[in-house]
Amino acid sequence: MYGRAGNTVPHERMRVSFCTDLDKSVLVNNFEKRGWTQVSPDDDWNFYWASVQTCRNIFSVDSGYRMHDNQMINHFPNHYELSRKDLLVKNIKRYRKDLEREGNPLAERSEPTAAGAPRYVYLDFVPITFVLPADYNMFVEEYRKNPQSTWIMKPCGKSQGAGIFLINKLSKLKRWSREAKGPFHQQLSKESYVISKYIDNPLLIGGKKFDLRLYVLVTSFRPLKAYLFKQGFCRFCTVKYDTSVTELDNMYVHLTNVSVQKHGGEYNNLHGGKWSVQNLALYLEGTRGKEVTDRLFGSIAWLIVHSLRAVAPVMASDRHCFECYGYDIIIDNNLKPWLVEVNASPSLTSTTVTDRILKYKLIDNILSVVLPPDGVPDVRWNKIPSADALGNFDLLLDEELAAQEEQAQNAQPSTKGRGGGNRWK
């Protein structure tokens, strides 16, 4: 079904061919700008910007397809370990337990308080979450510790705000469960959900709730190589935040997804309810100070790195793959970041002119980072781009480079205060 690209053609004569499942101008224009030729999936291709389903098909045992050295694809085979809400939580919980077992100081816990169990001091970046129906009894136990709290229900395999609702009473969950088992909702009863403690003290700007959409590029999971795109943005709700029970079902108050907000009467087509991360940083520096703002963005980088480390052991780190993830992060009014979810196929649809420019630049920079200097896909390349190739990406972590640095430092005579291998960059 899928074409092949032979690896015998010398690079200087090689014409790069691409195919894509997404008819997006930000993709095709970037590929054609490089002089690449578009082909169908059945032809010989070097670079495939595929849907997650196509990627699964290519890597499935049944397909019998083997990729050559001059082929690349934009998803890891089991990306869902990070992007499915239930698996993300499971992997982070396992990561923390493993570190605890090893006696690693990263897994240190605080003293238990009257409000609940001890929390992780350094790895407390996902809200308390349970998978339903499997963890129902554990959820009820947690709920009863604080029956006034609000929880948010999300279907594990859906995106763009589909199927999400808030609950503040156990009876509402029981009612939903009964309805889900009815003859008209057979599909619902088979679907697993995550239920998370709702962040009910979000940082508000202009009285409105927002979240951050950040783009994280991973070129390898073992060794881990990850980059953060500098030009992320905030996504605002169109209606002012209100915690009253009457507004519990008003998704324009609680959900920041553009796919939800664009249907609201207050939606602005010019700015699309979006604000750049740079503007957010300036606003916070002006209202809270530079030191706490820098600490917040440091905590965000920390959160991303450890979420990736949590999934790295179970991720199939195929050398033909790279992936750009859309991280959704909420900041509370104590300037603590919380990881809400990770998307394996962040939207490339442009809602505004600024959006189109940003996404065009994102794709351009991704290609510069994942391709060798000659621009031809080659899995034998060591995936260490030059500083110039990074564009608007910042290196979050490269375990290979960090190991080389540590080796070089260990080879030198001992010096006081020498940096260890814990550096991110």
Side-chain angles (χ1 to χ4, degrees):
M1 177 184 173
Y2 300 100
R4 305 177 175 278
N7 56 352
T8 53
V9 187
H11 277 192
E12 56 270 25
R13 288 194 291 109
M14 191 172 194
R15 245 182 111 71
V16 177
S17 55
F18 75 91
C19 56
T20 176
D21 294 337
L22 305 175
D23 185 24
K24 300 286 182 190
S25 60
V26 291
L27 289 172
V28 177
N29 291 351
N30 264 300
F31 300 152
E32 290 179 343
K33 182 185 81 171
R34 285 171 162 71
W36 294 3
T37 311
Q38 185 161 11
V39 296
S40 85
D42 302 326
D43 295 321
D44 291 347
W45 54 266
N46 304 106
F47 193 96
Y48 199 156
W49 195 284
S51 67
V52 289
Q53 191 53 55
T54 294
C55 191
R56 276 180 217 165
N57 293 344
I58 286 177
F59 283 106
S60 77
V61 180
D62 301 336
S63 78
Y65 185 75
R66 283 182 66 102
M67 290 174 76
H68 288 296
D69 285 351
N70 295 121
Q71 287 183 295
M72 290 187 81
I73 194 163
N74 66 316
H75 293 291
F76 286 92
N78 59 337
H79 58 84
Y80 45 79
E81 294 284 354
L82 181 64
S83 60
R84 252 189 81 102
K85 300 171 185 72
D86 52 343
L87 296 179
L88 170 65
V89 169
K90 184 193 83 173
N91 285 317
I92 288 173
K93 285 179 178 176
R94 192 206 61 244
Y95 175 64
R96 295 192 296 208
K97 284 273 186 322
D98 288 350
L99 290 173
E100 226 169 337
R101 210 173 294 119
E102 293 163 13
N104 193 309
L106 280 178
E108 184 188 331
R109 293 205 199 205
S110 63
E111 291 298 316
T113 62
R119 305 295 289 264
Y120 287 93
V121 176
Y122 306 112
L123 299 175
D124 180 31
F125 55 78
V126 286
I128 297 171
T129 301
F130 301 97
V131 179
L132 297 181
D135 298 339
Y136 180 76
N137 291 337
M138 283 192 284
F139 160 70
V140 172
E141 192 182 324
E142 184 65 36
Y143 174 87
R144 286 187 173 139
K145 289 177 190 170
N146 189 0
Q148 306 308 313
S149 54
T150 301
W151 294 75
I152 185 164
M153 286 272 287
K154 300 178 182 182
C156 292
K158 288 186 180 163
S159 59
Q160 299 187 323
I164 295 178
F165 60 95
L166 274 60
I167 68 158
N168 62 349
K169 287 190 172 68
L170 213 47
S171 57
K172 188 172 178 182
L173 182 59
K174 286 174 179 169
R175 188 169 67 247
W176 169 84
S177 179
R178 275 197 308 275
E179 287 170 2
K181 287 175 183 155
F184 302 110
H185 297 83
Q186 284 305 310
Q187 197 50 45
L188 270 181
S189 58
K190 291 176 192 158
E191 198 171 18
S192 57
Y193 273 68
V194 291
I195 186 162
S196 303
K197 194 85 165 279
Y198 185 59
I199 307 297
D200 57 6
N201 62 331
L203 176 67
L204 304 178
I205 297 180
K208 291 175 182 175
K209 179 182 171 180
F210 68 95
D211 76 351
L212 284 182
R213 162 53 61 90
L214 300 176
Y215 297 103
V216 175
L217 174 64
V218 177
T219 57
S220 165
F221 275 99
R222 287 187 303 280
L224 184 55
K225 294 170 183 273
Y227 306 84
L228 176 63
F229 194 59
K230 295 174 197 170
Q231 297 184 327
F233 52 87
C234 309
R235 304 180 299 184
F236 280 83
C237 287
T238 51
V239 178
K240 288 199 172 185
Y241 187 66
D242 186 341
T243 54
S244 64
V245 177
T246 52
E247 294 294 354
L248 206 60
D249 295 328
N250 186 345
M251 292 300 112
Y252 298 122
V253 170
H254 299 286
L255 294 190
T256 56
N257 310 64
V258 175
S259 50
V260 172
Q261 294 295 332
K262 69 182 180 186
H263 299 296
E266 305 292 316
Y267 183 72
N268 182 310
N269 285 306
L270 283 176
H271 57 64
K274 292 177 180 175
W275 212 36
S276 72
V277 164
Q278 285 76 12
N279 279 341
L280 173 66
L282 287 171
Y283 171 81
L284 290 175
E285 283 175 18
T287 54
R288 301 287 189 104
K290 189 168 188 327
E291 191 182 330
V292 291
T293 303
D294 289 346
R295 197 181 310 135
L296 165 67
F297 283 97
S299 299
I300 289 171
W302 171 273
L303 170 166
I304 294 167
V305 164
H306 284 285
S307 66
L308 293 172
R309 282 189 155 165
V311 301
V314 294
M315 203 59 97
S317 189
D318 191 288
R319 60 205 178 117
H320 299 91
C321 304
F322 66 92
E323 198 151 27
C324 178
Y325 298 103
Y327 268 69
D328 294 345
I329 291 165
I330 280 186
I331 303 165
D332 69 22
N333 60 13
N334 300 312
L335 293 198
K336 177 177 171 60
W338 296 93
L339 177 57
V340 177
E341 63 183 272
V342 182
N343 298 274
S345 301
S347 170
L348 294 177
T349 303
S350 306
T351 52
T352 66
V353 174
T354 308
D355 216 22
R356 187 163 65 248
I357 294 166
L358 181 149
K359 285 170 182 174
Y360 182 87
K361 195 177 282 184
L362 170 68
I363 301 300
D364 178 51
N365 289 182
I366 286 172
L367 297 176
S368 297
V369 173
V370 302
L371 293 166
D374 65 2
V376 177
D378 190 342
V379 298
R380 293 161 295 192
W381 179 54
N382 64 7
K383 294 192 176 187
I384 300 178
S386 68
D388 289 344
L390 292 181
N392 285 280
F393 276 105
D394 275 332
L395 176 63
L396 274 174
L397 175 67
D398 186 323
E399 288 180 340
E400 184 181 9
L401 280 179
Q404 287 171 7
E405 274 183 36
E406 194 171 7
Q407 222 171 0
Q409 286 171 344
N410 289 341
Q412 292 169 3
S414 177
T415 56
K416 263 192 174 179
R418 187 178 68 195
N422 288 329
R423 294 171 54 194
W424 296 129
K425 302 177 185 181

